[in-house]
């Protein structure tokens, strides 16, 4: 029994990864894997059951649940970016070193790819039954949208690009202030749930045009999987080569949201070391209070 007690610490020491970057990439891989597993499995269930086992809202909620679960898993190791656009913004802000951008992004991409493969294996029979064995991007029996996002047929490239810029911009705008101590920070334990709620709101209000990818890895990983699993090059050539939109627009949108937050909010928050004499409006009582000016210290020369 004594030997069994010491077995777990020994195995942990043997398997523990000592390289910080590798640990962080593992966390990003697993977090993105969990995120896509929740979302794509919900999409497969809704699609292949012809909405008898869930509706469009089910997919939105599953992706949000995936975000929350993935953040709880990986936030303590890598910060749970789960999205190359988020990593890019944090690099610009100086929260993450630039040498993390490519490794994080590749780990997120691989996690999304592997999750898509598992969804395909689990729902293989349902997908083949629904599609009658023909894997396609178009038509009433298409199944490619289980994995990657695709635009509505009436949507122009320019409008879909704007759609993704706005969606990702809103994501960054809403999450950057969650741990801002100078404003109204959220409790650390609630941040995953709040981010999930933000993602749910974006999915419910901004996914009608082209699926609200707002995440290059979330879209490219599954798209690469469908390319290799039988859907063919059509997943990249369809809708006038639309695939580049969820790759390019989300990083731009994330930077736009980041700069808006910095210019309109962050740069105007009070410095705790030098409090300003400003009015604080309470949203609960609507009362306006004027803080007392800090008492000046006596001069050391006098």
């Amino acid at each position: 029994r004594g030997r069994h007690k010491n077995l777990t610490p020994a195995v942990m020491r043997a398997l523990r990864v000592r390289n910080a970057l590798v640990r962080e990439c593992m966390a990003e891989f697993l977090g993105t894997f969990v995120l896509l597993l929740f979302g794509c499995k919900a999409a497969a269930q809704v699609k292949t059951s012809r909405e008898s086992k869930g509706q469009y809202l089910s997919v939105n909620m599953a992706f949000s649940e995936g975000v929350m679960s993935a953040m709880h898993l990986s936030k303590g190791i890598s910060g749970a970016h789960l999205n190359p656009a988020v990593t890019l913004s944090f690099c610009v802000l100086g929260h993450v070193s630039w040498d993390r951008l490519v490794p994080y992004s590749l780990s997120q991409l691989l996690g999304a790819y592997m999750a898509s493969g598992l969804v395909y294996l689990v729902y293989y029979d349902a997908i083949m039954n629904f599609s009658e064995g023909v894997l396609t991007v178009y038509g009433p029996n298409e199944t490619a949208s289980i994995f990657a996002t695709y635009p509505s047929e009436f949507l122009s490239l320019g409008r879909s690009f704007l759609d993704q810029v706005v969606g990702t911009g809103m994501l960054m705008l809403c999450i950057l202030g969650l741990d801002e101590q100078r404003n109204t920070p959220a409790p650390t334990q609630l941040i995953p749930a709040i981010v999930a709620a933000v993602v749910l709101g974006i999915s419910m209000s901004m996914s009608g045009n082209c699926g609200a990818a707002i995440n290059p890895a979330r879209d490219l990983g599954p798209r690469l999987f469908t390319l290799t699993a039988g859907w063919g090059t059509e997943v990249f050539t369809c809708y006038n080569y639309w695939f580049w939109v969820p790759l390019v627009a989300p990083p731009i949108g994330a930077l736009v949201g980041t700069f808006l937050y910095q210019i309109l909010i962050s740069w105007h928050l009070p410095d705790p070391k030098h409090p300003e004499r400003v009015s604080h409006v309470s949203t609960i009582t609507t009362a306006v209070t004027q803080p007392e000016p800090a008492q000046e210290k006596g001069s050391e020369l006098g």
Side-chain angles (χ1 to χ4, degrees), residues 31-44 46 55-71 82 112 115-116 119 144-149 171 192-193 195-204 207 211-215 217-219 222:
T32 313
F33 178 88
V34 168
L35 164 60
L36 268 292
L37 195 66
F38 270 99
C40 290
K41 287 190 79 171
V46 172
Q55 290 78 39
Y56 190 65
L57 179 60
S58 306
V59 182
N60 294 336
M61 295 181 69
F63 268 111
S64 302
E65 171 65 25
V67 167
M68 181 172 65
S69 300
M71 289 191 69
L82 316 174
S116 301
V119 171
S145 63
I146 289 173
F147 301 95
T149 61
L171 174 67
V195 174
V198 170
V199 171
L200 179 60
I202 292 173
S203 300
M204 292 176 64
S207 62
I214 63 175
N215 183 339
R218 173 265 174 274
D219 191 83

Side-chain angles (χ1 to χ4, degrees), residues 256-279:
V256 169
T258 299
F259 290 140
L260 283 176
Y261 176 79
Q262 291 294 107
I263 294 169
L264 300 179
I265 300 295
S266 181
W267 293 348
H268 306 287
L269 290 172
D271 186 345
K273 297 180 182 178
H274 304 285
E276 298 178 0
R277 184 181 175 87
V278 294
S279 297

Side-chain angles (χ1 to χ4, degrees), residues 1-297:
R1 181 173 293 182
R3 278 184 293 177
H4 286 303
K5 272 187 177 181
N6 296 328
L7 181 61
T8 300
V11 171
M12 184 180 71
R13 284 194 298 270
L15 297 180
R16 181 176 174 82
V17 176
R18 290 170 174 79
N19 185 285
L21 177 58
V22 174
R23 290 199 302 266
E24 293 160 15
C25 287
M26 289 167 55
E28 287 297 313
F29 166 84
L30 184 59
T32 313
F33 178 88
V34 168
L35 164 60
L36 268 292
L37 195 66
F38 270 99
C40 290
K41 287 190 79 171
Q45 178 173 303
V46 172
K47 169 72 76 172
T48 58
S49 70
R50 302 187 187 275
E51 298 194 358
S52 66
K53 297 178 181 178
Q55 290 78 39
Y56 190 65
L57 179 60
S58 306
V59 182
N60 294 336
M61 295 181 69
F63 268 111
S64 302
E65 171 65 25
V67 167
M68 181 172 65
S69 300
M71 289 191 69
H72 276 294
L73 272 174
S74 58
K75 195 174 189 304
I77 297 177
S78 67
H81 298 181
L82 316 174
N83 184 340
V86 173
T87 303
L88 174 63
S89 292
F90 286 165
C91 288
V92 170
L93 290 172
H95 297 169
V96 177
S97 62
W98 281 98
D99 62 358
R100 258 54 176 173
L101 177 58
V102 172
Y104 275 29
S105 299
L106 291 176
S107 301
Q108 295 154 1
L109 180 66
L110 182 60
Y113 183 96
M114 297 301 292
S116 301
L118 184 54
V119 171
Y120 180 69
L121 288 176
V122 171
Y123 277 96
Y124 177 83
D125 294 334
I127 290 172
M128 290 302 170
N129 178 70
F130 176 86
S131 65
E132 298 177 355
V134 180
L135 302 178
T136 182
V137 176
Y138 297 103
N141 292 334
E142 66 83 15
T143 46
S145 63
I146 289 173
F147 301 95
T149 61
Y150 293 89
S152 301
E153 294 183 0
F154 57 79
L155 197 65
S156 67
L157 276 176
R159 205 76 67 192
S160 63
F161 192 91
L162 176 63
D163 177 276
Q164 289 298 288
V165 168
V166 172
T168 319
M170 284 298 297
L171 174 67
M172 292 306 304
L173 199 59
C174 293
I175 69 175
L176 281 175
L178 292 180
D179 59 353
E180 177 57 75
Q181 298 302 314
R182 299 173 299 162
N183 201 343
T184 50
T188 302
Q189 297 85 347
L190 291 181
I191 288 180
I194 296 172
V195 174
V198 170
V199 171
L200 179 60
I202 292 173
S203 300
M204 292 176 64
S205 61
M206 305 181 197
S207 62
N209 280 336
C210 46
I214 63 175
N215 183 339
R218 173 265 174 274
D219 191 83
L220 181 60
R223 197 177 300 275
L224 287 172
F225 172 78
T226 53
L227 171 69
T228 58
W231 279 263
T233 57
E234 194 175 49
V235 299
F236 283 95
T237 61
C238 66
Y239 298 104
N240 195 23
Y241 294 88
W242 183 84
F243 79 93
W244 65 269
V245 173
L247 291 181
V248 177
I252 294 175
L255 292 178
V256 169
T258 299
F259 290 140
L260 283 176
Y261 176 79
Q262 291 294 107
I263 294 169
L264 300 179
I265 300 295
S266 181
W267 293 348
H268 306 287
L269 290 172
D271 186 345
K273 297 180 182 178
H274 304 285
E276 298 178 0
R277 184 181 175 87
V278 294
S279 297
H280 298 280
V281 181
S282 169
T283 56
I284 300 176
T285 65
T286 69
V288 179
T289 60
Q290 195 78 5
E292 292 294 330
Q295 186 176 357
E296 297 183 0
K297 295 182 180 180

